[in-house]
Amino acid sequence: MKRVVVTGMSAITSLGHNWEDFEANLRKKKNAVKIDESLKAIDGLNTQLSAPVEDFERPAHYKRKQIRSMGRISLMATSATENALIDADLLDEKYLKSGRMGIAYGSSSGSSEPMVAFGDLIKSGNMNGINATSYIKMMSHTTAVNVGVFFGISGRIYTTSSACTSSSQAIGYAYEAIKFGKQEMMVAGGGEELCPSQVVVFDTLYATTTKNDTPKNTPRPFDKDRDGLVIGEGACTLILEEYEHAIKRGATIYAEIVGYGTNSDGMHVTQPTKETMAVAITESLNDAGIKASDIGYVNAHGTATDRGDIAETNATEMAVSSNVPISSLKSYLGHTLGACGAIESWASISMMNNGWFAPTLNLDSIDPECGNLDYITGDGREIDTEYVMSNNFAFGGINTSLIFKKFK
């Protein structure tokens, strides 16, 4: 078995595109949720809130020919990946095209714009607006394919599209590809662009917040007065590398990935099951070969939905312990869907290395039905720990758990 380390990281989020800005906004308790005027125009939609990335633009050096098959989601994924490869000092053809570097990347869906044109085709037989790249922008594996083609990555490719676990599964698959000696380096992550269709999906399930007049007071993960989630967007890439390969070339190592667990509830498409969620968490602990008591912090999925928060926190108590510190970054960013697992892994690693962990915003009164855990509130918490866990759960009963170890 090979050891797997993280040697590059980069993210595009509504709180900033580098760790310094992101952490500063966490410490300021800045909430990126805003009133979304475009949602007001949708008849019958209950929520009017979203958490957009407002300052992302196509990098000036990206030539038109290079990006003609990219929508916004792929542009964000490609930009995040470029910066992560630069961070890892691997933006070099001798690595990218060696066959020893692969890619695992995911999203819930592709870009929205071409979906409209295909909808017109199905509805009225009108092909206007459809061209040779429309499907490539729209397809669920658009991020993985576009990132791979842009950089000429020629190793194995995993295209993960599993809703809210898209990027956590991508990191897990990338970790296993290196661990079992199939690749030496992997680009891993996920992205999502804000789309009204995704908002509507959760709204029809009565899972979105309706606190439309007080956007800064929502979402409220784990709080007894929570009323649903907010949809966000973003992208994040981690560069994973075989330990000896990284050491040999003198790479900076941010953390070691030591555990990954994933499974399926096999019960219900939208109702989570705490027992199988706990099994996935336990699988991650077993993979890492550590005790539950070794985990110093859990980054929760924490969407602020009724059943989701209750199932997740009780599963965490069952598998880890009742005194484990826990918080949810979705209280700042909203739910970034296919990007959340990677963004939260990036943040968990960075917080572990800095020794300060962000609180959950808007958590004033813990729901008594939630698990008995050490919920971080107030100004956050200074914690010196060797291990952090990041958990994500998705429609279809897909459960994931990742464990990162501080590199010394």
Side-chain angles (χ1 to χ4, degrees):
M1 299 293 180
K2 307 289 186 180
R3 292 174 64 184
V4 184
V5 293
V6 180
T7 57
M9 303 191 293
S10 181
I12 293 168
T13 79
S14 54
L15 286 188
H17 309 328
N18 59 67
W19 180 248
E20 291 73 20
D21 291 343
F22 191 92
E23 184 186 38
N25 285 322
L26 291 179
R27 289 181 179 272
K28 292 175 187 174
K29 302 180 185 178
K30 180 179 177 180
N31 176 306
V33 177
K34 294 177 170 59
I35 296 172
D36 189 329
E37 295 297 328
S38 68
L39 297 180
K40 288 184 177 182
I42 300 175
D43 186 37
L45 187 66
N46 296 304
T47 191
Q48 298 173 2
L49 304 179
S50 68
V53 176
E54 297 183 311
D55 57 350
F56 173 74
E57 296 181 0
R58 184 191 88 190
H61 63 284
Y62 286 14
K63 297 178 176 62
R64 187 166 179 265
K65 185 177 180 180
Q66 291 177 296
I67 62 168
R68 61 188 175 188
S69 61
M70 294 186 191
R72 176 176 170 83
I73 185 173
S74 291
L75 281 170
M76 287 194 293
T78 302
S79 180
T81 299
E82 181 175 37
N83 290 328
L85 286 166
I86 291 170
D87 187 40
D89 196 24
L90 288 173
L91 190 61
D92 188 314
E93 287 192 1
K94 72 179 181 181
Y95 299 115
L96 300 173
K97 299 185 178 183
S98 65
R100 296 179 291 113
M101 180 186 287
I103 181 169
Y105 222 90
S107 60
S108 297
S109 59
S111 284
S112 308
E113 186 178 355
M115 294 181 190
V116 177
F118 278 101
D120 288 341
L121 167 67
I122 295 169
K123 187 175 181 179
S124 62
N126 181 358
M127 282 186 60
N128 291 337
I130 298 176
N131 59 37
T133 61
S134 295
Y135 173 70
I136 309 302
K137 293 177 182 178
M138 184 184 72
M139 65 190 187
S140 59
H141 58 303
T142 187
T143 52
V145 168
N146 273 298
V147 169
V149 170
F150 188 89
F151 296 106
I153 296 171
S154 58
R156 61 173 54 193
I157 182 168
Y158 296 100
T159 61
T160 56
S161 182
S162 58
C164 316
T165 55
S166 295
S167 55
S168 55
Q169 282 199 319
I171 293 169
Y173 290 148
Y175 156 72
E176 290 180 338
I178 297 172
K179 178 179 180 177
F180 295 112
K182 305 302 182 182
Q183 300 277 229
E184 287 184 324
M185 301 156 283
M186 289 290 292
V187 170
E192 208 76 65
E193 68 177 64
L194 197 58
C195 176
S197 66
Q198 292 167 339
V199 178
V200 168
V201 165
F202 289 92
D203 202 76
T204 58
L205 293 168
Y206 302 101
T208 53
T209 181
T210 57
K211 298 181 186 294
N212 296 320
D213 296 328
T214 55
K216 298 307 175 187
N217 294 336
T218 196
R220 310 175 68 86
F222 318 127
D223 192 273
K224 69 178 181 61
D225 295 321
R226 70 194 181 283
D227 73 330
L229 55 76
V230 174
I231 298 297
E233 64 176 345
C236 181
T237 301
L238 305 186
I239 306 301
L240 310 189
E241 193 169 348
E242 192 272 322
Y243 170 76
E244 295 293 346
H245 187 272
I247 291 295
K248 185 176 180 179
R249 67 181 191 85
T252 297
I253 296 175
Y254 292 104
E256 182 175 359
I257 302 183
V258 294
Y260 173 57
T262 186
N263 68 1
S264 172
D265 289 344
M267 295 285 287
H268 196 280
V269 175
T270 58
Q271 296 296 322
T273 305
K274 65 181 180 181
E275 289 81 8
T276 39
M277 296 166 91
V279 169
I281 296 170
T282 300
E283 285 182 356
S284 184
L285 289 165
N286 291 340
D287 187 42
I290 62 174
K291 304 185 298 294
S293 58
D294 290 328
I295 300 296
Y297 168 78
V298 173
N299 190 281
H301 192 55
T303 60
T305 56
D306 181 28
R307 294 297 95 190
D309 282 6
I310 291 170
E312 172 186 5
T313 54
N314 280 280
T316 304
E317 182 184 0
M318 290 165 62
V320 187
S321 73
S322 61
N323 62 358
V324 66
I326 188 170
S327 65
S328 170
L329 294 179
K330 291 181 180 69
S331 58
Y332 302 81
L333 299 165
H335 193 346
T336 56
L337 303 177
C340 72
I343 291 172
E344 291 160 12
S345 293
W346 166 68
S348 296
I349 291 168
S350 300
M351 290 190 293
M352 174 176 64
N353 289 337
N354 288 358
W356 177 83
F357 293 84
T360 300
L361 289 184
N362 300 317
L363 179 51
D364 299 325
S365 182
I366 298 165
D367 183 346
E369 288 193 59
C370 284
N372 181 29
L373 302 169
D374 183 5
Y375 296 91
I376 301 176
T377 58
D379 293 324
R381 184 90 55 85
E382 291 187 2
I383 302 171
D384 183 11
T385 181
E386 192 175 5
Y387 296 97
V388 294
M389 174 182 284
S390 182
N391 297 332
N392 295 102
F393 309 98
F395 279 172
I398 303 171
N399 310 312
T400 61
S401 180
L402 291 160
I403 298 175
F404 302 96
K405 180 180 180 181
K406 185 182 290 186
F407 186 77
K408 298 178 180 179

